[in-house]
Amino acid sequence: MSVGDVAGLIAAVAFVLLVGLLAVPLVKLGRVFDEATRSIREVTEHSVPILDEAATTVSSTNDQLVKVDTITTSAAQVSENVSALTGLYAATLGRPLVKVAAFSYGVRQAFAGAARRARGGADGAASGTDR
């Protein structure tokens, strides 16, 4: 065995040790990738049912919103009908009631004035007023 053979043998042993030392981190990195793959699979398995449930919830919420929209539309129509009925009532009964109230006020004033004058004839000489 010559010096070159010994140097080659030392270089070969050093290369094997280097490969061995580099293989350990590579094996650990492979385990990390395996664990990451398992984690992603578990997240996917748990996420899909959640997404399905969320889609069902959104669909149910949309159905409820359609019902609320129908109720809101009906309430708006009722409000319009009440407004129209109020306008009709005011036009039909409001003006005549105002006229009746004004007439009754005038009649009361006339009777009050007549009563004052009637008392004024008896009391008018003493008070000196005609009103």
Side-chain angles (χ1 to χ4, degrees):
M1 252 206 221
S2 70
V3 177
D5 290 337
V6 173
L9 188 62
I10 292 174
V13 170
F15 183 73
V16 168
L17 289 176
L18 179 66
V19 168
L21 289 175
L22 290 177
V24 173
L26 288 175
V27 169
K28 289 183 179 181
L29 184 62
R31 288 181 189 155
V32 168
F33 283 142
D34 290 341
E35 195 63 34
T37 303
R38 264 190 298 251
S39 296
I40 290 172
R41 186 176 300 123
E42 287 178 9
V43 167
T44 302
E45 288 172 359
H46 293 295
S47 297
V48 169
I50 291 171
L51 291 175
D52 290 341
E53 187 175 331
T56 303
T57 302
V58 168
S59 176
S60 174
T61 302
N62 285 339
D63 292 342
Q64 294 299 323
L65 286 176
V66 167
K67 291 177 183 177
V68 168
D69 186 44
T70 303
I71 292 169
T72 304
T73 302
S74 297
Q77 288 175 348
V78 167
S79 176
E80 289 175 10
N81 291 341
V82 168
S83 177
L85 186 62
T86 303
L88 179 65
Y89 174 77
T92 304
L93 298 176
R95 290 183 195 136
L97 284 177
V98 169
K99 288 180 182 180
V100 168
F103 176 74
S104 66
Y105 178 75
V107 169
R108 281 184 294 169
Q109 292 298 321
F111 279 127
R116 272 184 286 183
R117 276 189 288 238
R119 278 184 293 181
D123 297 335
S127 67
T129 60
D130 216 12
R131 229 174 166 195

